[in-house]
Amino acid sequence: MNLKRFILSTIATSSFLLAGCQEQNAGASTADSDADSAFRITMITDQNGVDDRSFNQSAWEGMQDWAASHHFPKESIHYYQSGEESNYIPNLNTALQDDYDLIYTVGYSLEESLDTIAQQNPDQKFGMLDGSVEQPNVVSISFADNESAYLAGIAAAMTSKTGKIGFVGGQQTPNILKFQAGFEAGAKDADPNVEVEGQFTESFSDAGIAQQIASAMYTNKVDVIFHAAGNAGNGVTSEARNRLEAGATENIWVIGADRDQTAEGEWEGGNFMLTSTLKELGRAIENETNDTMNGDFHGGEQIVSNLEDGGVGIVETNLPEVIKEAVQTAKEKIIAGEIEVPETPE
């Protein structure tokens, strides 16, 4: 280990001990000399944490896949978990001190913090996932979630027996409104008479509020609910399972967001997870990291990953063949430009 890395590692260790607000993954020490020859990357989570069954988890899994594909040691990847917004700047500073080659932040809520730190450290390479920061040393990668949500809307409308479907969002941010807009448009194109009820938890962590909203929706004859609310969305899943296990006879379905949540829909009577929209954060990390390793860092660029490049999509495991065909037709039309999916609700 060279002197610079030894000093930086020592500083980082001291900073961690002194700053109790930082939540760091102890599984990735930067003091192991075996990692010296490897390209090293890390990520800062938002408040949902790395095990959110959503985009933080997808990003971390992508980093693990990337390290494995290059036969790099576990010390070449790392994450800093943020319990609250006040952790963002300290975690970014610790990542800088730990001397990573590329630092990713996950989620739009880190945009302001990353913008500040990127300006202060122009020689450091950063990646902004699912958000946008306009700095020459930051590559911003966002996703056309409205396109995948459009396909989910088709599936929901064609599955509903009552003609009522629901959307449960987290906070009313542009990213979440893209989900709502696409879902409503797809549902209306599949069935102009379908009713779409939309509500927001105003939180990405309060599963209790999401469960209350889902309970009211199901009671009001909504039979398919799409949630895009981070950890809060688990409340929708819990409500569906509770009702089914209590003997509910009505049609009840859930649609997940950001990663395949089929396993979350398992219960003794089958599986109630109709589909999930996919956001390939892990693949985006693998691609951008490989490009950066090869000298092609896309700093200053705003990359939007969509249906055409496979960056978004939906899971078809539980979809009947007729719905799969409708989804595939819509997908082809979106890619061909024959369907323009809105990014904001009407």
Side-chain angles (χ1 to χ4, degrees):
M1 179 180 291
N2 60 41
L3 180 60
K4 176 186 175 184
R5 182 156 288 171
F6 176 80
I7 294 171
L8 289 172
S9 180
T10 303
I11 293 172
T13 303
S14 300
S15 298
F16 174 76
L17 293 173
L18 291 172
C21 68
Q22 295 183 32
E23 301 177 37
Q24 190 168 349
N25 172 26
S29 169
T30 59
D32 192 336
S33 60
D34 291 342
D36 282 355
S37 61
F39 193 87
R40 299 170 63 251
I41 63 175
T42 190
M43 60 179 265
I44 316 297
T45 75
D46 69 1
Q47 296 174 66
N48 283 322
V50 78
D51 56 352
D52 61 354
R53 303 174 188 173
S54 188
F55 54 81
N56 283 302
Q57 187 168 334
S58 295
W60 177 237
E61 289 170 352
M63 291 178 65
Q64 293 173 304
D65 291 342
W66 167 81
S69 70
H70 290 282
H71 305 290
F72 286 160
K74 66 179 182 179
E75 290 82 10
S76 63
I77 60 172
H78 184 59
Y79 68 82
Y80 300 83
Q81 186 154 300
S82 305
E84 54 189 34
E85 286 190 16
S86 63
N87 295 159
Y88 295 164
I89 293 290
N91 281 343
L92 279 162
N93 280 325
T94 303
L96 285 162
Q97 292 168 354
D98 283 350
D99 202 21
Y100 285 93
D101 296 291
L102 182 55
I103 299 172
Y104 288 102
T105 58
V106 187
Y108 79 95
S109 64
L110 283 107
E111 288 177 342
E112 185 176 346
S113 297
L114 178 56
D115 186 61
T116 298
I117 295 298
Q119 290 182 63
Q120 295 172 355
N121 299 272
D123 294 330
Q124 173 66 50
K125 296 180 177 67
F126 296 96
M128 176 74 244
L129 295 170
D130 210 23
S132 177
V133 172
E134 296 183 1
Q135 296 297 335
N137 57 333
V138 180
V139 55
S140 296
I141 305 173
S142 58
F143 300 83
D145 296 309
N146 53 321
E147 294 183 353
S148 55
Y150 182 95
L151 303 182
I154 290 175
M158 293 181 67
T159 300
S160 178
K161 304 296 185 184
T162 64
K164 290 184 175 183
I165 61 177
F167 172 79
V168 177
Q171 296 175 353
Q172 297 187 54
T173 65
N175 283 359
I176 299 302
L177 292 176
K178 282 167 62 177
F179 280 107
Q180 183 184 23
F183 183 67
E184 291 178 350
K188 290 290 186 179
D189 283 352
D191 179 3
N193 296 316
V194 72
E195 296 180 27
V196 185
E197 181 179 348
Q199 292 193 47
F200 295 84
T201 64
E202 299 303 339
S203 166
F204 288 108
S205 59
D206 195 332
I209 293 178
Q211 186 166 353
Q212 291 174 19
I213 293 173
S215 177
M217 284 186 175
Y218 285 133
T219 299
N220 194 37
K221 305 303 181 183
V222 167
D223 55 0
V224 185
I225 299 177
F226 175 35
H227 66 80
N231 271 336
N234 295 325
V236 176
T237 303
S238 295
E239 181 61 23
R241 177 176 287 104
N242 289 348
R243 285 175 173 257
L244 290 167
E245 291 180 346
T249 57
E250 65 266 28
N251 190 55
I252 289 179
W253 293 96
V254 174
I255 297 176
D258 292 338
R259 68 191 303 269
D260 187 349
Q261 296 186 15
T262 302
E264 307 303 319
E266 292 288 346
W267 72 293
E268 61 183 14
N271 194 299
F272 58 79
M273 193 65 62
L274 178 62
T275 183
S276 305
T277 60
L278 299 175
K279 191 193 322 250
E280 299 289 355
L281 278 90
R283 195 180 71 173
I285 284 178
E286 291 186 70
N287 291 341
E288 183 57 37
T289 302
N290 287 334
D291 284 349
T292 303
M293 283 177 61
N294 294 326
D296 189 23
F297 175 60
H298 299 114
E301 295 186 24
Q302 304 285 322
I303 299 171
V304 179
S305 198
N306 55 23
L307 282 176
E308 184 173 11
D309 62 26
V312 299
I314 69 169
V315 177
E316 297 187 356
T317 305
N318 290 334
L319 297 181
E321 194 61 36
V322 64
I323 297 181
K324 288 182 182 178
E325 293 174 1
V327 164
Q328 182 60 34
T329 298
K331 178 179 177 180
E332 292 172 357
K333 289 184 176 181
I334 291 171
I335 292 173
E338 297 174 26
I339 295 177
E340 186 174 346
V341 184
E343 295 190 4
T344 55
E346 294 185 357

